[in-house]
PDB file of all heavy atoms in Angstrom:
ATOM      1  N   LEU A   1     -43.433  77.731-163.978  1.00 98.00           N
ATOM      2  CA  LEU A   1     -43.676  76.447-164.625  1.00 98.00           C
ATOM      3  C   LEU A   1     -45.061  75.886-164.309  1.00 98.00           C
ATOM      4  O   LEU A   1     -45.428  74.820-164.811  1.00 98.00           O
ATOM      5  CB  LEU A   1     -42.626  75.425-164.163  1.00 98.00           C
ATOM      6  CG  LEU A   1     -41.152  75.832-164.240  1.00 98.00           C
ATOM      7  CD1 LEU A   1     -40.268  74.689-163.745  1.00 98.00           C
ATOM      8  CD2 LEU A   1     -40.777  76.231-165.653  1.00 98.00           C
ATOM      9  N   SER A   2     -45.839  76.580-163.503  1.00 97.00           N
ATOM     10  CA  SER A   2     -47.071  76.026-162.956  1.00 97.00           C
ATOM     11  C   SER A   2     -48.083  75.639-164.004  1.00 97.00           C
ATOM     12  O   SER A   2     -48.834  74.656-163.835  1.00 97.00           O
ATOM     13  CB  SER A   2     -47.709  77.018-161.968  1.00 97.00           C
ATOM     14  OG  SER A   2     -46.784  77.415-160.985  1.00 97.00           O
ATOM     15  N   HIS A   3     -48.137  76.380-165.117  1.00 96.00           N
ATOM     16  CA  HIS A   3     -49.207  76.166-166.094  1.00 96.00           C
ATOM     17  C   HIS A   3     -48.708  75.556-167.388  1.00 96.00           C
ATOM     18  O   HIS A   3     -49.432  75.539-168.379  1.00 96.00           O
ATOM     19  CB  HIS A   3     -49.932  77.485-166.362  1.00 96.00           C
ATOM     20  CG  HIS A   3     -50.539  78.096-165.129  1.00 96.00           C
ATOM     21  ND1 HIS A   3     -51.641  77.566-164.504  1.00 96.00           N
ATOM     22  CD2 HIS A   3     -50.158  79.176-164.391  1.00 96.00           C
ATOM     23  CE1 HIS A   3     -51.934  78.297-163.437  1.00 96.00           C
ATOM     24  NE2 HIS A   3     -51.053  79.284-163.344  1.00 96.00           N
ATOM     25  N   GLN A   4     -47.477  75.071-167.385  1.00 97.00           N
ATOM     26  CA  GLN A   4     -47.019  74.363-168.568  1.00 97.00           C
ATOM     27  C   GLN A   4     -47.434  72.905-168.464  1.00 97.00           C
ATOM     28  O   GLN A   4     -48.105  72.490-167.518  1.00 97.00           O
ATOM     29  CB  GLN A   4     -45.509  74.487-168.723  1.00 97.00           C
ATOM     30  CG  GLN A   4     -44.667  73.787-167.673  1.00 97.00           C
ATOM     31  CD  GLN A   4     -43.176  74.000-167.935  1.00 97.00           C
ATOM     32  OE1 GLN A   4     -42.737  75.088-168.303  1.00 97.00           O
ATOM     33  NE2 GLN A   4     -42.403  72.939-167.761  1.00 97.00           N
ATOM     34  N   LYS A   5     -47.057  72.096-169.419  1.00 96.00           N
ATOM     35  CA  LYS A   5     -47.492  70.705-169.450  1.00 96.00           C
ATOM     36  C   LYS A   5     -46.823  69.907-168.340  1.00 96.00           C
ATOM     37  O   LYS A   5     -45.596  69.860-168.236  1.00 96.00           O
ATOM     38  CB  LYS A   5     -47.159  70.085-170.808  1.00 96.00           C
ATOM     39  CG  LYS A   5     -47.621  68.637-170.954  1.00 96.00           C
ATOM     40  CD  LYS A   5     -47.249  68.093-172.321  1.00 96.00           C
ATOM     41  CE  LYS A   5     -47.661  66.628-172.462  1.00 96.00           C
ATOM     42  NZ  LYS A   5     -47.289  66.083-173.795  1.00 96.00           N
ATOM     43  N   TRP A   6     -47.664  69.249-167.522  1.00 97.00           N
ATOM     44  CA  TRP A   6     -47.187  68.376-166.457  1.00 97.00           C
ATOM     45  C   TRP A   6     -47.715  66.963-166.705  1.00 97.00           C
ATOM     46  O   TRP A   6     -48.844  66.773-167.142  1.00 97.00           O
ATOM     47  CB  TRP A   6     -47.673  68.851-165.092  1.00 97.00           C
ATOM     48  CG  TRP A   6     -46.945  70.073-164.589  1.00 97.00           C
ATOM     49  CD1 TRP A   6     -47.247  71.375-164.851  1.00 97.00           C
ATOM     50  CD2 TRP A   6     -45.794  70.089-163.746  1.00 97.00           C
ATOM     51  NE1 TRP A   6     -46.355  72.219-164.230  1.00 97.00           N
ATOM     52  CE2 TRP A   6     -45.443  71.449-163.543  1.00 97.00           C
ATOM     53  CE3 TRP A   6     -45.014  69.108-163.146  1.00 97.00           C
ATOM     54  CZ2 TRP A   6     -44.360  71.836-162.761  1.00 97.00           C
ATOM     55  CZ3 TRP A   6     -43.933  69.485-162.366  1.00 97.00           C
ATOM     56  CH2 TRP A   6     -43.611  70.841-162.179  1.00 97.00           C
ATOM     57  N   SER A   7     -46.867  65.983-166.427  1.00 96.00           N
ATOM     58  CA  SER A   7     -47.271  64.581-166.499  1.00 96.00           C
ATOM     59  C   SER A   7     -47.386  64.032-165.079  1.00 96.00           C
ATOM     60  O   SER A   7     -46.668  64.459-164.172  1.00 96.00           O
ATOM     61  CB  SER A   7     -46.244  63.763-167.287  1.00 96.00           C
ATOM     62  OG  SER A   7     -46.121  64.246-168.606  1.00 96.00           O
ATOM     63  N   TYR A   8     -48.276  63.065-164.905  1.00 97.00           N
ATOM     64  CA  TYR A   8     -48.520  62.491-163.582  1.00 97.00           C
ATOM     65  C   TYR A   8     -48.442  60.972-163.648  1.00 97.00           C
ATOM     66  O   TYR A   8     -48.938  60.352-164.589  1.00 97.00           O
ATOM     67  CB  TYR A   8     -49.906  62.906-163.059  1.00 97.00           C
ATOM     68  CG  TYR A   8     -50.055  64.392-162.891  1.00 97.00           C
ATOM     69  CD1 TYR A   8     -50.485  65.189-163.956  1.00 97.00           C
ATOM     70  CD2 TYR A   8     -49.751  65.007-161.682  1.00 97.00           C
ATOM     71  CE1 TYR A   8     -50.604  66.567-163.811  1.00 97.00           C
ATOM     72  CE2 TYR A   8     -49.868  66.375-161.526  1.00 97.00           C
ATOM     73  CZ  TYR A   8     -50.291  67.148-162.600  1.00 97.00           C
ATOM     74  OH  TYR A   8     -50.400  68.515-162.459  1.00 97.00           O
ATOM     75  N   LYS A   9     -47.844  60.393-162.633  1.00 97.00           N
ATOM     76  CA  LYS A   9     -47.792  58.932-162.519  1.00 97.00           C
ATOM     77  C   LYS A   9     -48.096  58.560-161.078  1.00 97.00           C
ATOM     78  O   LYS A   9     -47.437  59.032-160.147  1.00 97.00           O
ATOM     79  CB  LYS A   9     -46.420  58.403-162.932  1.00 97.00           C
ATOM     80  CG  LYS A   9     -46.356  56.883-163.012  1.00 97.00           C
ATOM     81  CD  LYS A   9     -45.043  56.419-163.582  1.00 97.00           C
ATOM     82  CE  LYS A   9     -44.967  54.897-163.683  1.00 97.00           C
ATOM     83  NZ  LYS A   9     -46.035  54.345-164.551  1.00 97.00           N
ATOM     84  N   VAL A  10     -49.093  57.717-160.904  1.00 97.00           N
ATOM     85  CA  VAL A  10     -49.541  57.317-159.574  1.00 97.00           C
ATOM     86  C   VAL A  10     -48.677  56.167-159.064  1.00 97.00           C
ATOM     87  O   VAL A  10     -48.515  55.143-159.730  1.00 97.00           O
ATOM     88  CB  VAL A  10     -51.019  56.889-159.597  1.00 97.00           C
ATOM     89  CG1 VAL A  10     -51.449  56.350-158.232  1.00 97.00           C
ATOM     90  CG2 VAL A  10     -51.897  58.065-160.013  1.00 97.00           C
ATOM     91  N   GLY A  11     -48.111  56.349-157.875  1.00 97.00           N
ATOM     92  CA  GLY A  11     -47.387  55.279-157.216  1.00 97.00           C
ATOM     93  C   GLY A  11     -45.997  55.033-157.756  1.00 97.00           C
ATOM     94  O   GLY A  11     -45.498  55.741-158.640  1.00 97.00           O
ATOM     95  N   LEU A  12     -45.375  54.000-157.218  1.00 97.00           N
ATOM     96  CA  LEU A  12     -44.010  53.633-157.562  1.00 97.00           C
ATOM     97  C   LEU A  12     -44.006  52.381-158.426  1.00 97.00           C
ATOM     98  O   LEU A  12     -44.937  51.567-158.384  1.00 97.00           O
ATOM     99  CB  LEU A  12     -43.201  53.370-156.291  1.00 97.00           C
ATOM    100  CG  LEU A  12     -43.164  54.490-155.254  1.00 97.00           C
ATOM    101  CD1 LEU A  12     -42.570  53.977-153.953  1.00 97.00           C
ATOM    102  CD2 LEU A  12     -42.370  55.676-155.780  1.00 97.00           C
ATOM    103  N   LYS A  13     -42.928  52.207-159.168  1.00 97.00           N
ATOM    104  CA  LYS A  13     -42.779  50.998-159.974  1.00 97.00           C
ATOM    105  C   LYS A  13     -42.773  49.773-159.077  1.00 97.00           C
ATOM    106  O   LYS A  13     -43.400  48.754-159.380  1.00 97.00           O
ATOM    107  CB  LYS A  13     -41.488  51.076-160.783  1.00 97.00           C
ATOM    108  CG  LYS A  13     -41.232  49.851-161.649  1.00 97.00           C
ATOM    109  CD  LYS A  13     -39.933  49.986-162.423  1.00 97.00           C
ATOM    110  CE  LYS A  13     -39.655  48.729-163.265  1.00 97.00           C
ATOM    111  NZ  LYS A  13     -38.392  48.837-164.026  1.00 97.00           N
ATOM    112  N   GLY A  14     -42.062  49.865-157.957  1.00 98.00           N
ATOM    113  CA  GLY A  14     -42.000  48.738-157.031  1.00 98.00           C
ATOM    114  C   GLY A  14     -43.348  48.352-156.465  1.00 98.00           C
ATOM    115  O   GLY A  14     -43.602  47.176-156.188  1.00 98.00           O
ATOM    116  N   GLU A  15     -44.230  49.350-156.263  1.00 98.00           N
ATOM    117  CA  GLU A  15     -45.581  49.047-155.808  1.00 98.00           C
ATOM    118  C   GLU A  15     -46.350  48.289-156.882  1.00 98.00           C
ATOM    119  O   GLU A  15     -47.033  47.301-156.600  1.00 98.00           O
ATOM    120  CB  GLU A  15     -46.323  50.338-155.448  1.00 98.00           C
ATOM    121  CG  GLU A  15     -45.845  51.014-154.179  1.00 98.00           C
ATOM    122  CD  GLU A  15     -46.632  52.280-153.876  1.00 98.00           C
ATOM    123  OE1 GLU A  15     -46.647  53.183-154.735  1.00 98.00           O
ATOM    124  OE2 GLU A  15     -47.218  52.362-152.782  1.00 98.00           O
ATOM    125  N   ALA A  16     -46.234  48.763-158.122  1.00 97.00           N
ATOM    126  CA  ALA A  16     -46.939  48.118-159.228  1.00 97.00           C
ATOM    127  C   ALA A  16     -46.470  46.682-159.431  1.00 97.00           C
ATOM    128  O   ALA A  16     -47.262  45.800-159.804  1.00 97.00           O
ATOM    129  CB  ALA A  16     -46.747  48.925-160.507  1.00 97.00           C
ATOM    130  N   LEU A  17     -45.195  46.425-159.168  1.00 98.00           N
ATOM    131  CA  LEU A  17     -44.629  45.082-159.327  1.00 98.00           C
ATOM    132  C   LEU A  17     -44.816  44.222-158.083  1.00 98.00           C
ATOM    133  O   LEU A  17     -44.422  43.054-158.079  1.00 98.00           O
ATOM    134  CB  LEU A  17     -43.132  45.183-159.652  1.00 98.00           C
ATOM    135  CG  LEU A  17     -42.770  45.852-160.986  1.00 98.00           C
ATOM    136  CD1 LEU A  17     -41.259  46.010-161.108  1.00 98.00           C
ATOM    137  CD2 LEU A  17     -43.325  45.052-162.158  1.00 98.00           C
ATOM    138  N   SER A  18     -45.386  44.794-157.023  1.00 98.00           N
ATOM    139  CA  SER A  18     -45.599  44.081-155.750  1.00 98.00           C
ATOM    140  C   SER A  18     -44.300  43.502-155.212  1.00 98.00           C
ATOM    141  O   SER A  18     -44.220  42.328-154.836  1.00 98.00           O
ATOM    142  CB  SER A  18     -46.645  42.968-155.923  1.00 98.00           C
ATOM    143  OG  SER A  18     -47.901  43.496-156.260  1.00 98.00           O
ATOM    144  N   LEU A  19     -43.274  44.350-155.155  1.00 98.00           N
ATOM    145  CA  LEU A  19     -41.990  43.888-154.642  1.00 98.00           C
ATOM    146  C   LEU A  19     -42.055  43.491-153.174  1.00 98.00           C
ATOM    147  O   LEU A  19     -41.151  42.801-152.683  1.00 98.00           O
ATOM    148  CB  LEU A  19     -40.924  44.977-154.826  1.00 98.00           C
ATOM    149  CG  LEU A  19     -40.574  45.353-156.270  1.00 98.00           C
ATOM    150  CD1 LEU A  19     -39.410  46.343-156.286  1.00 98.00           C
ATOM    151  CD2 LEU A  19     -40.226  44.123-157.095  1.00 98.00           C
ATOM    152  N   HIS A  20     -43.109  43.904-152.484  1.00 98.00           N
ATOM    153  CA  HIS A  20     -43.237  43.550-151.069  1.00 98.00           C
ATOM    154  C   HIS A  20     -43.699  42.107-150.877  1.00 98.00           C
ATOM    155  O   HIS A  20     -43.792  41.637-149.744  1.00 98.00           O
ATOM    156  CB  HIS A  20     -44.206  44.507-150.372  1.00 98.00           C
ATOM    157  CG  HIS A  20     -45.619  44.403-150.858  1.00 98.00           C
ATOM    158  ND1 HIS A  20     -46.033  44.911-152.069  1.00 98.00           N
ATOM    159  CD2 HIS A  20     -46.716  43.833-150.295  1.00 98.00           C
ATOM    160  CE1 HIS A  20     -47.323  44.671-152.237  1.00 98.00           C
ATOM    161  NE2 HIS A  20     -47.762  44.026-151.170  1.00 98.00           N
ATOM    162  N   THR A  21     -43.986  41.397-151.971  1.00 98.00           N
ATOM    163  CA  THR A  21     -44.401  40.001-151.899  1.00 98.00           C
ATOM    164  C   THR A  21     -43.324  39.110-152.496  1.00 98.00           C
ATOM    165  O   THR A  21     -42.526  39.534-153.340  1.00 98.00           O
ATOM    166  CB  THR A  21     -45.720  39.773-152.643  1.00 98.00           C
ATOM    167  OG1 THR A  21     -45.513  39.994-154.052  1.00 98.00           O
ATOM    168  CG2 THR A  21     -46.801  40.723-152.145  1.00 98.00           C
ATOM    169  N   VAL A  22     -43.323  37.862-152.084  1.00 97.00           N
ATOM    170  CA  VAL A  22     -42.347  36.908-152.624  1.00 97.00           C
ATOM    171  C   VAL A  22     -42.553  36.721-154.123  1.00 97.00           C
ATOM    172  O   VAL A  22     -41.596  36.701-154.906  1.00 97.00           O
ATOM    173  CB  VAL A  22     -42.463  35.554-151.881  1.00 97.00           C
ATOM    174  CG1 VAL A  22     -41.562  34.507-152.539  1.00 97.00           C
ATOM    175  CG2 VAL A  22     -42.106  35.715-150.411  1.00 97.00           C
ATOM    176  N   SER A  23     -43.810  36.613-154.544  1.00 97.00           N
ATOM    177  CA  SER A  23     -44.081  36.395-155.965  1.00 97.00           C
ATOM    178  C   SER A  23     -43.675  37.588-156.812  1.00 97.00           C
ATOM    179  O   SER A  23     -43.186  37.431-157.936  1.00 97.00           O
ATOM    180  CB  SER A  23     -45.570  36.082-156.167  1.00 97.00           C
ATOM    181  OG  SER A  23     -46.372  37.157-155.682  1.00 97.00           O
ATOM    182  N   GLY A  24     -43.852  38.794-156.287  1.00 97.00           N
ATOM    183  CA  GLY A  24     -43.510  39.981-157.067  1.00 97.00           C
ATOM    184  C   GLY A  24     -42.031  40.300-157.088  1.00 97.00           C
ATOM    185  O   GLY A  24     -41.540  40.971-158.006  1.00 97.00           O
ATOM    186  N   SER A  25     -41.287  39.805-156.106  1.00 97.00           N
ATOM    187  CA  SER A  25     -39.873  40.179-155.994  1.00 97.00           C
ATOM    188  C   SER A  25     -39.033  39.638-157.135  1.00 97.00           C
ATOM    189  O   SER A  25     -37.956  40.162-157.434  1.00 97.00           O
ATOM    190  CB  SER A  25     -39.300  39.686-154.665  1.00 97.00           C
ATOM    191  OG  SER A  25     -39.273  38.263-154.629  1.00 97.00           O
ATOM    192  N   GLY A  26     -39.499  38.580-157.783  1.00 96.00           N
ATOM    193  CA  GLY A  26     -38.729  37.996-158.867  1.00 96.00           C
ATOM    194  C   GLY A  26     -38.787  38.771-160.164  1.00 96.00           C
ATOM    195  O   GLY A  26     -38.112  38.407-161.138  1.00 96.00           O
ATOM    196  N   SER A  27     -39.556  39.861-160.214  1.00 97.00           N
ATOM    197  CA  SER A  27     -39.713  40.618-161.456  1.00 97.00           C
ATOM    198  C   SER A  27     -38.590  41.612-161.703  1.00 97.00           C
ATOM    199  O   SER A  27     -38.540  42.235-162.763  1.00 97.00           O
ATOM    200  CB  SER A  27     -41.055  41.363-161.445  1.00 97.00           C
ATOM    201  OG  SER A  27     -41.129  42.244-160.330  1.00 97.00           O
ATOM    202  N   VAL A  28     -37.688  41.802-160.727  1.00 97.00           N
ATOM    203  CA  VAL A  28     -36.569  42.727-160.905  1.00 97.00           C
ATOM    204  C   VAL A  28     -35.280  42.032-160.474  1.00 97.00           C
ATOM    205  O   VAL A  28     -35.296  40.997-159.809  1.00 97.00           O
ATOM    206  CB  VAL A  28     -36.755  44.035-160.101  1.00 97.00           C
ATOM    207  CG1 VAL A  28     -38.017  44.759-160.519  1.00 97.00           C
ATOM    208  CG2 VAL A  28     -36.767  43.751-158.600  1.00 97.00           C
ATOM    209  N   GLU A  29     -34.151  42.612-160.854  1.00 97.00           N
ATOM    210  CA  GLU A  29     -32.854  42.063-160.484  1.00 97.00           C
ATOM    211  C   GLU A  29     -32.335  42.780-159.242  1.00 97.00           C
ATOM    212  O   GLU A  29     -32.181  43.993-159.225  1.00 97.00           O
ATOM    213  CB  GLU A  29     -31.864  42.229-161.633  1.00 97.00           C
ATOM    214  CG  GLU A  29     -30.517  41.584-161.381  1.00 97.00           C
ATOM    215  CD  GLU A  29     -29.592  41.648-162.575  1.00 97.00           C
ATOM    216  OE1 GLU A  29     -30.085  41.956-163.679  1.00 97.00           O
ATOM    217  OE2 GLU A  29     -28.381  41.401-162.406  1.00 97.00           O
ATOM    218  N   TRP A  30     -32.074  42.019-158.206  1.00 98.00           N
ATOM    219  CA  TRP A  30     -31.595  42.552-156.941  1.00 98.00           C
ATOM    220  C   TRP A  30     -30.078  42.418-156.860  1.00 98.00           C
ATOM    221  O   TRP A  30     -29.490  41.514-157.459  1.00 98.00           O
ATOM    222  CB  TRP A  30     -32.227  41.802-155.760  1.00 98.00           C
ATOM    223  CG  TRP A  30     -33.728  41.906-155.708  1.00 98.00           C
ATOM    224  CD1 TRP A  30     -34.621  41.202-156.461  1.00 98.00           C
ATOM    225  CD2 TRP A  30     -34.510  42.751-154.862  1.00 98.00           C
ATOM    226  NE1 TRP A  30     -35.913  41.549-156.143  1.00 98.00           N
ATOM    227  CE2 TRP A  30     -35.875  42.507-155.158  1.00 98.00           C
ATOM    228  CE3 TRP A  30     -34.207  43.690-153.881  1.00 98.00           C
ATOM    229  CZ2 TRP A  30     -36.918  43.164-154.512  1.00 98.00           C
ATOM    230  CZ3 TRP A  30     -35.257  44.344-153.227  1.00 98.00           C
ATOM    231  CH2 TRP A  30     -36.592  44.085-153.544  1.00 98.00           C
ATOM    232  N   THR A  31     -29.448  43.307-156.100  1.00 98.00           N
ATOM    233  CA  THR A  31     -28.006  43.237-155.886  1.00 98.00           C
ATOM    234  C   THR A  31     -27.724  43.027-154.410  1.00 98.00           C
ATOM    235  O   THR A  31     -28.549  43.349-153.554  1.00 98.00           O
ATOM    236  CB  THR A  31     -27.301  44.514-156.353  1.00 98.00           C
ATOM    237  OG1 THR A  31     -27.819  45.637-155.620  1.00 98.00           O
ATOM    238  CG2 THR A  31     -27.523  44.741-157.843  1.00 98.00           C
ATOM    239  N   GLN A  32     -26.546  42.473-154.105  1.00 95.00           N
ATOM    240  CA  GLN A  32     -26.194  42.207-152.719  1.00 95.00           C
ATOM    241  C   GLN A  32     -24.689  42.305-152.541  1.00 95.00           C
ATOM    242  O   GLN A  32     -23.957  42.658-153.468  1.00 95.00           O
ATOM    243  CB  GLN A  32     -26.699  40.819-152.301  1.00 95.00           C
ATOM    244  CG  GLN A  32     -26.192  39.684-153.161  1.00 95.00           C
ATOM    245  CD  GLN A  32     -26.783  38.337-152.747  1.00 95.00           C
ATOM    246  OE1 GLN A  32     -26.901  38.053-151.556  1.00 95.00           O
ATOM    247  NE2 GLN A  32     -27.162  37.527-153.722  1.00 95.00           N
ATOM    248  N   GLY A  33     -24.226  42.001-151.341  1.00 95.00           N
ATOM    249  CA  GLY A  33     -22.798  42.035-151.065  1.00 95.00           C
ATOM    250  C   GLY A  33     -22.227  43.427-151.209  1.00 95.00           C
ATOM    251  O   GLY A  33     -22.796  44.411-150.728  1.00 95.00           O
ATOM    252  N   SER A  34     -21.124  43.545-151.900  1.00 95.00           N
ATOM    253  CA  SER A  34     -20.456  44.836-152.082  1.00 95.00           C
ATOM    254  C   SER A  34     -21.248  45.781-152.963  1.00 95.00           C
ATOM    255  O   SER A  34     -21.006  46.988-152.968  1.00 95.00           O
ATOM    256  CB  SER A  34     -19.060  44.630-152.677  1.00 95.00           C
ATOM    257  OG  SER A  34     -19.158  44.000-153.951  1.00 95.00           O
ATOM    258  N   LEU A  35     -22.206  45.247-153.720  1.00 97.00           N
ATOM    259  CA  LEU A  35     -23.028  46.079-154.602  1.00 97.00           C
ATOM    260  C   LEU A  35     -24.309  46.565-153.920  1.00 97.00           C
ATOM    261  O   LEU A  35     -25.108  47.270-154.548  1.00 97.00           O
ATOM    262  CB  LEU A  35     -23.391  45.292-155.873  1.00 97.00           C
ATOM    263  CG  LEU A  35     -22.209  44.850-156.744  1.00 97.00           C
ATOM    264  CD1 LEU A  35     -22.710  44.034-157.931  1.00 97.00           C
ATOM    265  CD2 LEU A  35     -21.403  46.055-157.226  1.00 97.00           C
ATOM    266  N   LEU A  36     -24.501  46.173-152.655  1.00 97.00           N
ATOM    267  CA  LEU A  36     -25.708  46.593-151.934  1.00 97.00           C
ATOM    268  C   LEU A  36     -25.778  48.115-151.866  1.00 97.00           C
ATOM    269  O   LEU A  36     -24.829  48.783-151.457  1.00 97.00           O
ATOM    270  CB  LEU A  36     -25.683  46.016-150.516  1.00 97.00           C
ATOM    271  CG  LEU A  36     -26.900  46.325-149.637  1.00 97.00           C
ATOM    272  CD1 LEU A  36     -28.114  45.539-150.111  1.00 97.00           C
ATOM    273  CD2 LEU A  36     -26.609  46.010-148.166  1.00 97.00           C
ATOM    274  N   ALA A  37     -26.907  48.665-152.276  1.00 97.00           N
ATOM    275  CA  ALA A  37     -27.082  50.123-152.267  1.00 97.00           C
ATOM    276  C   ALA A  37     -27.264  50.626-150.843  1.00 97.00           C
ATOM    277  O   ALA A  37     -28.022  50.049-150.058  1.00 97.00           O
ATOM    278  CB  ALA A  37     -28.286  50.510-153.117  1.00 97.00           C
ATOM    279  N   LYS A  38     -26.558  51.686-150.502  1.00 96.00           N
ATOM    280  CA  LYS A  38     -26.681  52.328-149.201  1.00 96.00           C
ATOM    281  C   LYS A  38     -26.763  53.833-149.394  1.00 96.00           C
ATOM    282  O   LYS A  38     -26.125  54.379-150.294  1.00 96.00           O
ATOM    283  CB  LYS A  38     -25.499  51.988-148.294  1.00 96.00           C
ATOM    284  CG  LYS A  38     -25.336  50.513-147.967  1.00 96.00           C
ATOM    285  CD  LYS A  38     -24.118  50.281-147.073  1.00 96.00           C
ATOM    286  CE  LYS A  38     -23.902  48.811-146.783  1.00 96.00           C
ATOM    287  NZ  LYS A  38     -22.702  48.588-145.940  1.00 96.00           N
TER     288      LYS A  38
END
């Protein structure tokens, strides 16, 4: 597969949305309680 068509994407969606900041965290829907991902 080395020489077939490859697509590239730099970084994560969460990085682009700045989820590590308070202002950026509101751009996605978070879950909690029994729905918390583990």
Side-chain angles (χ1 to χ4, degrees):
L1 310 180
S2 307
H3 301 289
Q4 67 181 41
K5 182 180 178 181
W6 285 87
S7 300
Y8 298 88
K9 188 173 181 60
V10 175
L12 305 169
K13 179 180 178 180
E15 288 180 302
L17 296 174
S18 296
L19 295 186
H20 66 285
T21 66
V22 174
S23 59
S25 66
S27 59
V28 301
E29 185 175 346
W30 299 79
T31 60
Q32 57 183 319
S34 61
L35 298 178
L36 182 72
K38 298 179 182 179

